[in-house]
Coordinates of all heavy atoms in Angstrom, one line a residue:
M3 N 14.4 -10.9 -18.7 CA 15.1 -10.0 -17.7 C 14.7 -8.6 -18.2 O 14.8 -8.2 -19.4 CB 16.6 -10.2 -17.8 CG 17.3 -9.3 -16.9 SD 19.0 -9.9 -16.5 CE 18.8 -10.1 -14.8
L4 N 14.5 -7.7 -17.2 CA 14.1 -6.3 -17.5 C 15.4 -5.5 -17.9 O 16.5 -5.7 -17.4 CB 13.5 -5.7 -16.3 CG 12.2 -6.2 -15.7 CD1 11.8 -5.4 -14.5 CD2 11.1 -6.1 -16.8
T5 N 15.1 -4.6 -18.8 CA 16.2 -3.6 -19.1 C 16.3 -2.6 -18.0 O 15.4 -2.5 -17.1 CB 15.9 -2.9 -20.4 OG1 14.7 -2.1 -20.2 CG2 15.6 -3.9 -21.6
A6 N 17.4 -1.9 -18.0 CA 17.6 -0.9 -17.0 C 16.4 0.2 -17.0 O 15.9 0.6 -15.9 CB 18.9 -0.2 -17.2
N7 N 16.0 0.5 -18.2 CA 14.8 1.5 -18.3 C 13.5 0.9 -17.8 O 12.8 1.6 -17.1 CB 14.7 1.9 -19.8 CG 15.7 2.9 -20.2 OD1 16.4 3.5 -19.3 ND2 15.9 3.1 -21.5
Q8 N 13.3 -0.4 -18.1 CA 12.1 -1.0 -17.6 C 12.1 -1.1 -16.1 O 11.0 -0.9 -15.4 CB 11.9 -2.4 -18.2 CG 11.6 -2.4 -19.7 CD 11.7 -3.7 -20.3 OE1 12.6 -4.5 -20.0 NE2 10.9 -4.0 -21.3
L9 N 13.2 -1.5 -15.5 CA 13.3 -1.6 -14.1 C 13.1 -0.2 -13.4 O 12.4 -0.1 -12.4 CB 14.7 -2.2 -13.7 CG 14.9 -2.4 -12.2 CD1 13.9 -3.3 -11.6 CD2 16.3 -2.9 -12.0
H10 N 13.7 0.8 -14.0 CA 13.6 2.2 -13.5 C 12.1 2.6 -13.5 O 11.6 3.2 -12.6 CB 14.5 3.1 -14.3 CG 14.3 4.6 -13.9 ND1 14.8 5.1 -12.7 CD2 13.6 5.6 -14.5 CE1 14.4 6.3 -12.6 NE2 13.7 6.7 -13.6
A11 N 11.4 2.3 -14.6 CA 10.0 2.7 -14.8 C 9.2 2.0 -13.7 O 8.3 2.6 -13.1 CB 9.5 2.4 -16.2
A12 N 9.4 0.7 -13.5 CA 8.7 -0.1 -12.5 C 9.0 0.5 -11.1 O 8.0 0.6 -10.3 CB 9.1 -1.6 -12.6
E13 N 10.2 0.7 -10.8 CA 10.5 1.3 -9.5 C 9.9 2.7 -9.3 O 9.4 3.0 -8.2 CB 12.0 1.4 -9.3 CG 12.7 0.0 -9.1 CD 14.2 0.1 -9.2 OE1 14.8 1.1 -9.6 OE2 14.8 -0.9 -8.8
Y14 N 9.9 3.5 -10.3 CA 9.3 4.8 -10.3 C 7.8 4.7 -10.0 O 7.2 5.4 -9.2 CB 9.5 5.6 -11.6 CG 8.9 6.9 -11.6 CD1 9.6 8.0 -11.0 CD2 7.6 7.1 -12.1 CE1 9.0 9.3 -11.0 CE2 7.1 8.4 -12.1 CZ 7.7 9.5 -11.6 OH 7.2 10.7 -11.5
D15 N 7.1 3.7 -10.7 CA 5.7 3.5 -10.4 C 5.4 3.1 -9.0 O 4.4 3.6 -8.4 CB 5.1 2.4 -11.3 CG 5.0 2.9 -12.8 OD1 5.1 4.1 -13.0 OD2 4.8 2.0 -13.7
G16 N 6.3 2.3 -8.4 CA 6.1 1.9 -7.0 C 6.3 3.1 -6.1 O 5.5 3.3 -5.1
Q17 N 7.2 4.0 -6.4 CA 7.4 5.2 -5.6 C 6.3 6.1 -5.7 O 5.9 6.8 -4.8 CB 8.8 5.8 -5.9 CG 10.0 5.0 -5.4 CD 11.3 5.6 -5.9 OE1 11.3 6.4 -6.8 NE2 12.4 5.1 -5.3
A18 N 5.8 6.2 -6.9 CA 4.6 7.1 -7.2 C 3.4 6.6 -6.4 O 2.6 7.5 -5.9 CB 4.3 7.2 -8.7
A19 N 3.2 5.3 -6.3 CA 2.1 4.8 -5.6 C 2.2 5.1 -4.1 O 1.3 5.5 -3.4 CB 1.9 3.3 -5.8
A20 N 3.4 5.0 -3.6 CA 3.7 5.3 -2.2 C 3.5 6.8 -1.9 O 2.9 7.2 -0.9 CB 5.1 4.9 -1.8
H21 N 3.9 7.6 -2.9 CA 3.8 9.0 -2.8 C 2.3 9.4 -2.7 O 1.9 10.2 -1.9 CB 4.5 9.7 -4.0 CG 4.4 11.2 -4.0 ND1 3.5 11.9 -4.7 CD2 5.2 12.1 -3.3 CE1 3.7 13.2 -4.5 NE2 4.7 13.3 -3.6
R22 N 1.5 8.8 -3.5 CA 0.0 9.1 -3.5 C -0.6 8.7 -2.2 O -1.4 9.5 -1.6 CB -0.6 8.3 -4.7 CG -2.1 8.5 -4.7 CD -2.5 9.9 -5.1 NE -4.0 10.0 -5.2 CZ -4.7 10.9 -4.7 NH1 -4.2 12.0 -4.1 NH2 -6.0 10.9 -4.8
L23 N -0.2 7.6 -1.6 CA -0.7 7.1 -0.3 C -0.3 8.1 0.7 O -1.2 8.6 1.5 CB -0.3 5.7 0.0 CG -0.6 5.3 1.4 CD1 -2.1 5.2 1.6 CD2 0.0 4.0 1.7
L24 N 0.9 8.5 0.7 CA 1.4 9.5 1.8 C 0.7 10.8 1.6 O 0.4 11.5 2.6 CB 2.9 9.6 1.7 CG 3.6 8.3 2.2 CD1 5.1 8.5 1.9 CD2 3.4 8.1 3.6
L25 N 0.4 11.3 0.4 CA -0.3 12.5 0.2 C -1.7 12.4 0.8 O -2.2 13.4 1.5 CB -0.4 12.9 -1.3 CG 0.8 13.4 -2.0 CD1 0.6 13.5 -3.5 CD2 1.2 14.7 -1.4
L26 N -2.4 11.3 0.6 CA -3.7 11.1 1.2 C -3.6 11.1 2.7 O -4.5 11.7 3.4 CB -4.3 9.8 0.7 CG -4.7 9.8 -0.8 CD1 -5.1 8.4 -1.3 CD2 -5.8 10.8 -1.1
V27 N -2.7 10.4 3.3 CA -2.5 10.4 4.7 C -2.3 11.8 5.2 O -2.9 12.2 6.2 CB -1.4 9.4 5.1 CG1 -1.0 9.6 6.6 CG2 -1.7 8.0 4.8
N28 N -1.4 12.5 4.6 CA -1.1 13.9 5.0 C -2.3 14.8 4.9 O -2.4 15.7 5.7 CB 0.0 14.4 4.1 CG 0.8 15.5 4.7 OD1 1.1 15.5 5.9 ND2 1.1 16.6 4.0
E29 N -3.2 14.6 3.9 CA -4.4 15.4 3.9 C -5.3 15.2 5.1 O -5.8 16.2 5.6 CB -5.2 15.0 2.6 CG -4.7 15.5 1.3 CD -5.5 15.2 0.1 OE1 -6.7 14.8 0.3 OE2 -5.0 15.2 -1.0
H30 N -5.3 14.0 5.6 CA -6.1 13.7 6.8 C -5.4 14.2 8.1 O -6.1 14.4 9.1 CB -6.4 12.2 7.0 CG -7.4 11.7 6.0 ND1 -8.8 11.9 6.1 CD2 -7.2 11.2 4.7 CE1 -9.4 11.4 5.1 NE2 -8.5 10.9 4.2
L31 N -4.1 14.4 8.0 CA -3.3 14.9 9.1 C -3.3 16.5 9.2 O -2.9 17.0 10.2 CB -1.9 14.4 9.1 CG -1.7 12.9 9.4 CD1 -0.3 12.5 9.1 CD2 -2.1 12.6 10.8
H32 N -3.8 17.1 8.1 CA -3.7 18.6 8.1 C -4.7 19.1 9.1 O -5.8 18.7 9.3 CB -4.1 19.0 6.7 CG -3.8 20.5 6.5 ND1 -4.7 21.5 6.8 CD2 -2.7 21.1 5.9 CE1 -4.1 22.6 6.6 NE2 -3.0 22.4 6.0
P33 N -4.2 20.2 9.8 CA -5.1 20.8 10.9 C -6.5 21.2 10.4 O -7.4 21.2 11.2 CB -4.3 22.0 11.3 CG -2.8 21.6 11.0 CD -2.9 20.8 9.8
S34 N -6.6 21.6 9.2 CA -8.0 22.0 8.7 C -8.9 20.8 8.4 O -10.1 21.0 8.2 CB -7.8 22.9 7.5 OG -7.3 22.1 6.4
A35 N -8.4 19.6 8.4 CA -9.2 18.4 8.0 C -10.1 18.0 9.2 O -11.3 17.6 8.9 CB -8.3 17.3 7.6
Y36 N -9.7 18.1 10.4 CA -10.5 17.6 11.5 C -10.2 18.6 12.7 O -9.2 19.2 12.8 CB -10.1 16.2 11.9 CG -10.3 15.2 10.8 CD1 -9.2 14.9 9.9 CD2 -11.5 14.6 10.6 CE1 -9.4 14.0 8.9 CE2 -11.7 13.7 9.6 CZ -10.7 13.4 8.7 OH -10.9 12.6 7.7
P37 N -11.2 18.6 13.7 CA -11.1 19.6 14.7 C -9.9 19.4 15.7 O -9.5 20.4 16.4 CB -12.4 19.6 15.4 CG -13.0 18.3 15.0 CD -12.4 17.9 13.7
N38 N -9.4 18.2 15.8 CA -8.4 18.0 16.8 C -7.4 16.9 16.3 O -7.7 16.1 15.4 CB -8.9 17.6 18.2 CG -9.8 16.4 18.2 OD1 -9.3 15.3 17.8 ND2 -11.1 16.5 18.5
E39 N -6.2 16.8 17.0 CA -5.2 15.9 16.6 C -5.6 14.5 16.7 O -5.3 13.6 15.8 CB -3.9 16.1 17.4 CG -2.8 15.3 17.0 CD -1.5 15.6 17.8 OE1 -1.5 16.4 18.6 OE2 -0.5 14.9 17.5
Q40 N -6.4 14.1 17.7 CA -6.8 12.7 17.9 C -7.7 12.3 16.7 O -7.5 11.2 16.1 CB -7.7 12.6 19.2 CG -8.2 11.2 19.4 CD -7.1 10.2 19.6 OE1 -6.0 10.5 20.1 NE2 -7.4 8.9 19.2
D41 N -8.6 13.2 16.2 CA -9.4 12.8 15.0 C -8.5 12.7 13.8 O -8.7 11.8 12.9 CB -10.4 13.9 14.8 CG -11.5 13.9 15.8 OD1 -11.6 12.9 16.6 OD2 -12.3 14.8 15.8
R42 N -7.5 13.6 13.6 CA -6.6 13.5 12.5 C -5.8 12.2 12.5 O -5.7 11.6 11.4 CB -5.7 14.7 12.5 CG -6.4 16.0 12.2 CD -5.4 17.2 12.0 NE -4.7 17.6 13.2 CZ -5.2 18.5 14.1 NH1 -6.4 19.0 13.9 NH2 -4.4 18.8 15.1
L43 N -5.3 11.8 13.6 CA -4.6 10.6 13.7 C -5.5 9.4 13.5 O -5.1 8.4 12.8 CB -3.9 10.4 15.1 CG -2.7 11.4 15.3 CD1 -2.2 11.3 16.7 CD2 -1.6 11.1 14.3
E44 N -6.7 9.4 14.0 CA -7.6 8.3 13.7 C -8.0 8.2 12.2 O -8.0 7.1 11.7 CB -8.9 8.6 14.5 CG -9.9 7.4 14.4 CD -11.1 7.7 15.3 OE1 -11.1 8.5 16.2 OE2 -12.2 7.0 15.0
A45 N -8.2 9.3 11.6 CA -8.5 9.3 10.1 C -7.3 8.8 9.3 O -7.4 8.0 8.4 CB -8.9 10.7 9.7
A46 N -6.1 9.3 9.7 CA -4.9 8.8 9.0 C -4.7 7.3 9.2 O -4.3 6.6 8.2 CB -3.7 9.6 9.4
S47 N -4.9 6.8 10.4 CA -4.8 5.4 10.6 C -5.9 4.6 9.8 O -5.6 3.5 9.3 CB -5.0 5.1 12.1 OG -3.9 5.6 12.8
A48 N -7.1 5.2 9.7 CA -8.1 4.5 8.9 C -7.7 4.4 7.4 O -8.0 3.4 6.8 CB -9.4 5.3 9.0
V49 N -7.1 5.4 6.9 CA -6.6 5.4 5.5 C -5.6 4.2 5.4 O -5.6 3.4 4.5 CB -5.9 6.7 5.1 CG1 -5.2 6.5 3.8 CG2 -6.9 7.8 5.0
L50 N -4.6 4.2 6.3 CA -3.6 3.1 6.2 C -4.1 1.7 6.5 O -3.7 0.8 5.8 CB -2.5 3.4 7.3 CG -1.7 4.7 6.9 CD1 -0.8 5.1 8.1 CD2 -0.8 4.5 5.7
E51 N -5.1 1.6 7.4 CA -5.7 0.3 7.6 C -6.5 -0.2 6.4 O -6.5 -1.3 6.0 CB -6.7 0.4 8.8 CG -5.9 0.4 10.1 CD -6.8 0.7 11.3 OE1 -8.0 0.4 11.2 OE2 -6.3 1.1 12.4
A52 N -7.2 0.7 5.7 CA -7.9 0.4 4.5 C -7.0 -0.1 3.4 O -7.3 -1.0 2.7 CB -8.8 1.6 4.1
F53 N -5.9 0.6 3.3 CA -4.9 0.3 2.3 C -4.3 -1.1 2.6 O -4.3 -2.0 1.8 CB -3.7 1.3 2.3 CG -2.6 0.9 1.4 CD1 -2.6 1.2 0.1 CD2 -1.5 0.3 2.0 CE1 -1.5 0.9 -0.7 CE2 -0.4 0.0 1.2 CZ -0.4 0.3 -0.2
A54 N -3.9 -1.3 3.9 CA -3.3 -2.6 4.2 C -4.3 -3.8 4.1 O -3.9 -4.9 3.8 CB -2.7 -2.5 5.7
S55 N -5.6 -3.5 4.4 CA -6.6 -4.6 4.4 C -6.7 -5.2 3.0 O -7.1 -6.4 2.8 CB -7.9 -4.1 4.8 OG -8.5 -3.2 3.9
V56 N -6.4 -4.4 1.9 CA -6.4 -4.9 0.6 C -5.4 -6.1 0.4 O -5.7 -7.1 -0.3 CB -6.1 -3.8 -0.5 CG1 -6.0 -4.4 -1.9 CG2 -7.2 -2.8 -0.4
F57 N -4.3 -6.0 1.1 CA -3.2 -7.0 1.0 C -3.2 -8.0 2.2 O -2.3 -8.8 2.2 CB -1.9 -6.3 0.9 CG -1.9 -5.3 -0.2 CD1 -1.9 -3.9 0.0 CD2 -1.8 -5.7 -1.6 CE1 -1.9 -3.0 -1.0 CE2 -1.8 -4.8 -2.6 CZ -1.9 -3.4 -2.3
A58 N -4.1 -7.9 3.1 CA -4.1 -8.8 4.3 C -4.0 -10.2 4.0 O -3.2 -11.0 4.6 CB -5.3 -8.5 5.1
G59 N -4.8 -10.7 3.0 CA -4.7 -12.1 2.6 C -3.3 -12.5 2.1 O -2.8 -13.6 2.4
C60 N -2.8 -11.7 1.3 CA -1.4 -11.9 0.8 C -0.4 -12.0 1.9 O 0.5 -12.8 1.9 CB -1.0 -10.9 -0.2 SG -2.1 -10.8 -1.7
L61 N -0.6 -11.1 2.8 CA 0.4 -11.0 4.0 C 0.3 -12.3 4.8 O 1.3 -12.8 5.2 CB 0.1 -9.8 4.8 CG 1.0 -9.6 6.0 CD1 2.5 -9.5 5.6 CD2 0.6 -8.3 6.8
S62 N -0.9 -12.7 5.1 CA -1.0 -13.9 5.9 C -0.4 -15.2 5.2 O 0.2 -16.0 5.8 CB -2.5 -14.2 6.3 OG -3.3 -14.5 5.2
E63 N -0.6 -15.2 3.9 CA 0.0 -16.3 3.1 C 1.5 -16.2 3.2 O 2.3 -17.2 3.3 CB -0.5 -16.3 1.7 CG -1.9 -16.7 1.5 CD -2.4 -16.5 0.1 OE1 -1.6 -16.3 -0.8 OE2 -3.6 -16.4 -0.1
A64 N 2.1 -15.0 3.0 CA 3.5 -14.8 3.0 C 4.2 -15.1 4.3 O 5.3 -15.5 4.4 CB 3.8 -13.4 2.6
L65 N 3.4 -14.9 5.4 CA 4.0 -15.1 6.7 C 4.3 -16.6 7.0 O 5.0 -16.9 8.0 CB 3.1 -14.5 7.8 CG 3.1 -13.0 7.9 CD1 2.1 -12.5 8.9 CD2 4.5 -12.4 8.1
E66 N 3.8 -17.4 6.2 CA 4.0 -18.9 6.3 C 5.5 -19.2 5.9 O 5.9 -20.3 6.1 CB 3.0 -19.7 5.5 CG 1.6 -19.5 6.0 CD 0.6 -20.1 5.0 OE1 1.0 -20.8 4.1 OE2 -0.6 -20.0 5.3
H67 N 6.1 -18.3 5.2 CA 7.5 -18.5 4.7 C 8.5 -17.9 5.7 O 8.3 -16.8 6.3 CB 7.7 -17.8 3.4 CG 6.9 -18.4 2.3 ND1 7.2 -19.4 1.5 CD2 5.6 -18.0 1.9 CE1 6.3 -19.7 0.7 NE2 5.3 -18.9 0.9
P68 N 9.6 -18.6 6.0 CA 10.5 -18.2 7.0 C 11.4 -17.0 6.6 O 11.7 -16.9 5.4 CB 11.4 -19.4 7.2 CG 11.3 -20.2 5.9 CD 9.9 -19.9 5.4
G69 N 11.7 -16.2 7.6 CA 12.7 -15.1 7.4 C 12.4 -14.2 6.2 O 11.3 -13.7 6.0
N70 N 13.5 -13.9 5.5 CA 13.4 -12.9 4.4 C 12.6 -13.5 3.2 O 12.2 -12.7 2.4 CB 14.8 -12.6 3.8 CG 15.6 -11.7 4.8 OD1 15.0 -11.1 5.7 ND2 16.9 -11.8 4.7
D71 N 12.4 -14.8 3.2 CA 11.5 -15.3 2.2 C 10.1 -14.8 2.3 O 9.3 -14.8 1.3 CB 11.5 -16.9 2.3 CG 12.8 -17.5 1.8 OD1 13.6 -16.8 1.2 OD2 13.0 -18.7 2.2
A72 N 9.7 -14.4 3.5 CA 8.3 -13.9 3.6 C 8.1 -12.6 2.8 O 7.0 -12.4 2.3 CB 8.0 -13.6 5.1
V73 N 9.1 -11.7 2.8 CA 9.0 -10.5 2.0 C 8.8 -10.8 0.5 O 7.9 -10.3 -0.2 CB 10.2 -9.6 2.3 CG1 10.1 -8.3 1.4 CG2 10.2 -9.1 3.7
A74 N 9.7 -11.7 0.0 CA 9.6 -12.1 -1.4 C 8.3 -12.7 -1.7 O 7.7 -12.5 -2.7 CB 10.8 -13.0 -1.7
A75 N 7.8 -13.6 -0.7 CA 6.5 -14.2 -0.9 C 5.4 -13.2 -0.9 O 4.4 -13.4 -1.7 CB 6.3 -15.3 0.2
L76 N 5.5 -12.2 -0.1 CA 4.4 -11.2 -0.1 C 4.3 -10.5 -1.5 O 3.3 -10.3 -2.0 CB 4.7 -10.2 1.0 CG 3.7 -9.0 1.0 CD1 2.3 -9.4 1.2 CD2 4.2 -8.0 2.1
Y77 N 5.5 -10.1 -2.0 CA 5.5 -9.4 -3.3 C 4.9 -10.3 -4.4 O 4.2 -9.9 -5.2 CB 6.9 -9.0 -3.6 CG 7.5 -7.9 -2.7 CD1 8.9 -7.7 -2.6 CD2 6.7 -7.1 -1.9 CE1 9.4 -6.8 -1.8 CE2 7.3 -6.2 -1.1 CZ 8.6 -6.0 -1.0 OH 9.2 -5.1 -0.2
Q78 N 5.3 -11.6 -4.3 CA 4.9 -12.5 -5.3 C 3.3 -12.7 -5.2 O 2.6 -12.7 -6.2 CB 5.6 -13.9 -5.2 CG 5.2 -14.9 -6.2 CD 5.9 -16.2 -6.1 OE1 6.9 -16.3 -5.4 NE2 5.5 -17.2 -6.8
R79 N 2.8 -12.9 -4.0 CA 1.4 -13.1 -3.8 C 0.6 -11.9 -4.3 O -0.4 -12.0 -5.0 CB 1.0 -13.3 -2.3 CG 1.6 -14.6 -1.7 CD 1.0 -15.8 -2.4 NE 1.4 -17.0 -1.8 CZ 2.6 -17.6 -1.9 NH1 3.5 -17.1 -2.7 NH2 2.9 -18.7 -1.3
I80 N 1.1 -10.7 -4.0 CA 0.4 -9.5 -4.5 C 0.4 -9.4 -6.0 O -0.6 -9.1 -6.6 CB 1.0 -8.2 -3.9 CG1 0.7 -8.1 -2.3 CG2 0.5 -6.9 -4.5 CD1 1.5 -7.0 -1.6
A81 N 1.5 -9.7 -6.6 CA 1.6 -9.7 -8.1 C 0.7 -10.7 -8.7 O 0.0 -10.4 -9.7 CB 3.1 -9.9 -8.5
E82 N 0.7 -11.9 -8.1 CA -0.2 -13.0 -8.6 C -1.7 -12.6 -8.5 O -2.5 -13.0 -9.4 CB 0.1 -14.3 -7.9 CG 1.5 -14.9 -8.2 CD 1.8 -16.0 -7.3 OE1 1.1 -16.3 -6.3 OE2 2.8 -16.7 -7.5
R83 N -2.0 -12.0 -7.4 CA -3.4 -11.8 -7.1 C -3.9 -10.3 -7.5 O -5.0 -10.0 -7.2 CB -3.7 -12.0 -5.6 CG -3.5 -13.5 -5.2 CD -3.7 -13.7 -3.8 NE -5.1 -13.3 -3.4 CZ -5.5 -13.2 -2.1 NH1 -4.6 -13.4 -1.1 NH2 -6.7 -12.8 -1.8
A84 N -3.0 -9.6 -8.1 CA -3.3 -8.2 -8.5 C -4.7 -8.0 -9.2 O -5.5 -7.2 -8.8 CB -2.2 -7.5 -9.2
P85 N -4.9 -8.9 -10.2 CA -6.2 -8.7 -10.9 C -7.4 -9.0 -10.0 O -8.4 -8.2 -10.0 CB -6.2 -9.7 -12.0 CG -4.7 -10.0 -12.3 CD -4.1 -9.8 -10.9
E86 N -7.3 -10.0 -9.2 CA -8.4 -10.3 -8.2 C -8.5 -9.2 -7.2 O -9.7 -8.8 -6.8 CB -8.0 -11.6 -7.5 CG -8.8 -12.0 -6.3 CD -8.2 -13.1 -5.5 OE1 -7.3 -13.8 -6.0 OE2 -8.5 -13.2 -4.3
L87 N -7.4 -8.7 -6.7 CA -7.5 -7.6 -5.7 C -8.1 -6.3 -6.3 O -8.9 -5.7 -5.6 CB -6.1 -7.3 -5.1 CG -5.4 -8.4 -4.3 CD1 -4.0 -8.1 -4.0 CD2 -6.2 -8.8 -3.1
L88 N -7.7 -6.0 -7.5 CA -8.3 -4.9 -8.2 C -9.8 -5.0 -8.4 O -10.6 -4.1 -8.2 CB -7.5 -4.6 -9.5 CG -7.9 -3.4 -10.3 CD1 -7.7 -2.1 -9.4 CD2 -7.1 -3.3 -11.5
A89 N -10.2 -6.2 -8.8 CA -11.6 -6.5 -9.1 C -12.4 -6.3 -7.8 O -13.5 -5.8 -7.8 CB -11.8 -7.9 -9.6
G90 N -11.8 -6.7 -6.7 CA -12.5 -6.5 -5.4 C -12.7 -5.1 -5.0 O -13.7 -4.7 -4.5
L91 N -11.7 -4.3 -5.4 CA -11.9 -2.8 -5.1 C -12.8 -2.1 -6.1 O -13.4 -1.1 -5.7 CB -10.5 -2.1 -5.3 CG -9.5 -2.5 -4.2 CD1 -8.1 -1.9 -4.5 CD2 -10.0 -1.9 -2.8
N92 N -13.0 -2.7 -7.2 CA -13.9 -2.1 -8.2 C -15.4 -2.4 -8.0 O -16.2 -2.0 -8.8 CB -13.5 -2.5 -9.7 CG -12.2 -1.8 -10.1 OD1 -11.9 -0.7 -9.7 ND2 -11.4 -2.5 -10.9
R93 N -15.7 -3.2 -7.1 CA -17.1 -3.6 -6.8 C -17.8 -2.5 -6.1 O -17.4 -1.7 -5.4 CB -17.1 -4.8 -5.9 CG -16.7 -6.1 -6.6 CD -16.9 -7.3 -5.8 NE -16.1 -8.3 -6.4 CZ -15.6 -9.3 -5.8 NH1 -15.8 -9.5 -4.5 NH2 -14.8 -10.2 -6.4

């Protein structure tokens, strides 16, 4: 079982990862990034789609579980496959 400090550190890491993703999305949404709003939205969507595609296989496996179990299954699949997913990104 995690200590309170360990749990806090893990939660902080998760929030930091989300923060980084949102910073990247926001960079693509900035008016100086692209000539028009449509291009900015398309680029921001591409960032999010690329992010989500890393976890697509985990999501499809998790959706086989009913109700709230799907969310827990998604987290478990990502945690189990993290080394494999990371290796795929490092290619």
Side-chain angles (χ1 to χ4, degrees):
M3 177 163 243
L4 295 178
T5 67
N7 285 342
Q8 291 169 325
L9 181 59
H10 175 74
E13 289 170 345
Y14 181 84
D15 286 347
Q17 290 174 345
H21 183 258
R22 176 70 176 136
L23 173 63
L24 291 172
L25 284 174
L26 292 169
V27 169
N28 201 43
E29 285 181 20
H30 289 277
L31 291 172
H32 193 274
S34 66
Y36 301 93
N38 59 60
E39 184 176 359
Q40 180 63 30
D41 289 348
R42 291 189 291 274
L43 291 173
E44 184 177 342
S47 292
V49 170
L50 293 167
E51 287 174 20
F53 175 84
S55 71
V56 172
F57 305 106
C60 297
L61 179 58
S62 66
E63 292 171 16
L65 289 175
E66 297 171 4
H67 297 272
N70 291 338
D71 289 343
V73 174
L76 175 61
Y77 296 160
Q78 182 176 348
R79 294 297 185 280
I80 291 171
E82 290 169 351
R83 294 181 57 194
E86 166 194 341
L87 297 172
L88 186 58
L91 290 173
N92 286 332
R93 287 186 200 155

